[in-house]
Amino acid sequence: MNASAIIHDGAGRYLLHLRDADKPDIWEPGCWSLLGGGREPQDRTLLDTVVRELREEADLTVADLEPYAVEHVTGTDGARVSIQLFSARWNGDPDRLPLTEGVMLAWVRPEKFPRMRMLQSTRTLLERHAAEHPAPAESPVAVAGPVSAETPSGTVLNVVGVHLYLERDGRVLLGLRHPDSAYAGGSWHVLAGHCEAEAATVCLVREAYEEAGLVIDPADVELVHTVHMRDRPADPPRIQLYFRARGWEGAPELREPDKCVRWEWWSAEGLPDPIVPYTRAAIEGIRAGRAYTELGWGC
């Protein structure tokens, strides 16, 4: 048998492991999965197995691992495997874990599962666990209101967006947003997403894989431009971070066709129209060697 760990933070997030996509001989290549692995001779119990695997894969020690269920799953190669699943709570920072296998670790909420490449059995399992362990209701926080009673008067939240500036032979990767997209429908835009409770580079790597199937090492990205903007006076202010990837694996795929209908490489000197205005400003700033742009503050 194998042993894996369902690690959650008690607030609705699950710690998931993105496995290597270029190793077809491993279990679940290119998929989001749970940390864990096969029992070895030195393991007296399956609890020993999962404790060892967490330590070997990410130097992660989790207290109070408890048996949750035994699942029989089918891998992408058709093999049937029995897995003893353990469950535990942990709320640390996955960015600080020295991952030795796979691409990355990230906190993920259940609503993201349908958009991620994972075995159906893994998705069903996690959704069941989430239904049995609902996240506590959070107190609503106004986006433009004070962060807490301890913050200085007038402090407001800024939405943080991450953007991938991918350039190849003087051409920039842009996606044509679906006409029905809630934002910028029918316009060209770089690959982008909103930061959740995660580091900006982790968000960038996650979004690149989820949206386009691109595998990027966080060590291969650098911040090249920042746009601080406000679309309208009533809108929350936004900080848009643009990261350049010095290297990546894979070719752009349409992984979220409800958001993007086409990826295309465009000359940085002949950008398409229409294009999201702040993306045009950011690309022009990057090409000119500027690090910062402000937009919309005179409205």
Side-chain angles (χ1 to χ4, degrees):
M1 291 182 66
N2 286 16
S4 295
I6 300 174
I7 299 175
H8 63 108
D9 67 352
R13 297 187 303 168
Y14 288 83
L15 186 67
L16 296 184
H17 180 208
L18 178 58
R19 299 178 65 79
D20 291 293
D22 60 348
K23 297 180 180 178
D25 55 330
I26 66 172
W27 178 256
E28 302 178 76
C31 291
W32 290 91
S33 67
L34 304 176
L35 287 168
R39 188 171 183 174
E40 296 187 359
Q42 70 269 27
D43 301 331
R44 294 176 301 166
T45 67
L46 286 170
L47 178 59
D48 291 339
T49 298
V50 75
V51 168
R52 175 182 52 75
E53 287 287 340
L54 292 175
R55 184 178 63 251
E56 290 179 354
E57 293 184 1
D59 196 22
L60 175 60
T61 300
V62 180
D64 302 323
L65 280 159
E66 299 208 352
Y68 174 67
V70 175
E71 293 289 317
H72 304 278
V73 303
T74 302
T76 52
D77 60 355
R80 294 277 292 174
V81 178
S82 297
I83 301 177
Q84 170 67 62
L85 293 150
F86 294 85
S87 177
R89 288 180 58 173
W90 181 75
N91 61 0
D93 182 359
D95 294 343
R96 295 182 178 274
L97 299 177
L99 188 64
T100 61
E101 299 178 18
V103 178
M104 65 180 295
L105 291 168
W107 287 115
V108 184
R109 294 188 180 276
E111 56 265 28
K112 288 289 188 72
F113 295 162
R115 295 163 47 193
M116 302 170 69
R117 184 182 180 189
M118 66 173 66
L119 295 184
Q120 181 58 51
S121 54
T122 302
R123 179 178 297 125
T124 300
L125 170 72
L126 289 171
E127 289 174 343
R128 186 178 85 205
H129 188 277
E132 295 170 352
H133 301 78
E138 297 182 1
S139 302
V141 178
V143 170
V147 177
S148 70
E150 289 77 25
T151 56
S153 175
T155 299
V156 298
L157 295 175
N158 282 240
V159 178
V160 177
V162 296
H163 303 72
L164 178 61
Y165 180 79
L166 216 56
E167 186 173 346
R168 185 184 69 183
D169 300 326
R171 305 178 76 82
V172 180
L173 181 66
L174 297 175
L176 181 60
R177 294 187 62 80
H178 193 284
D180 297 331
S181 292
Y183 177 76
S187 294
W188 292 90
H189 195 23
V190 293
L191 190 153
H194 289 120
C195 240
E196 300 178 7
E198 59 192 341
T201 53
V202 170
C203 177
L204 180 78
V205 170
R206 174 178 59 78
E207 291 286 353
Y209 187 80
E210 291 177 5
E211 292 188 19
L214 300 174
V215 177
I216 298 174
D217 187 333
D220 286 338
V221 303
E222 60 179 340
L223 181 66
V224 290
H225 201 78
T226 300
V227 179
H228 197 202
M229 59 174 289
R230 204 168 199 167
D231 284 331
R232 294 181 295 273
D235 291 343
R238 296 175 182 270
I239 297 175
Q240 313 288 21
L241 305 176
Y242 280 75
F243 292 90
R244 183 201 309 269
R246 293 183 289 268
W248 66 90
E249 294 180 12
E253 307 170 11
L254 289 176
R255 302 286 293 273
E256 294 181 343
D258 59 321
K259 294 184 177 180
C260 177
V261 298
R262 191 162 91 236
W263 294 110
E264 192 169 326
W265 296 92
W266 288 87
S267 168
E269 298 178 354
L271 298 175
D273 191 49
I275 186 172
V276 172
Y278 77 81
T279 282
R280 180 184 292 277
I283 292 175
E284 291 174 350
I286 293 169
R287 301 282 293 176
R290 297 193 304 271
Y292 179 72
T293 296
E294 289 181 353
L295 291 175
W297 292 101
C299 298

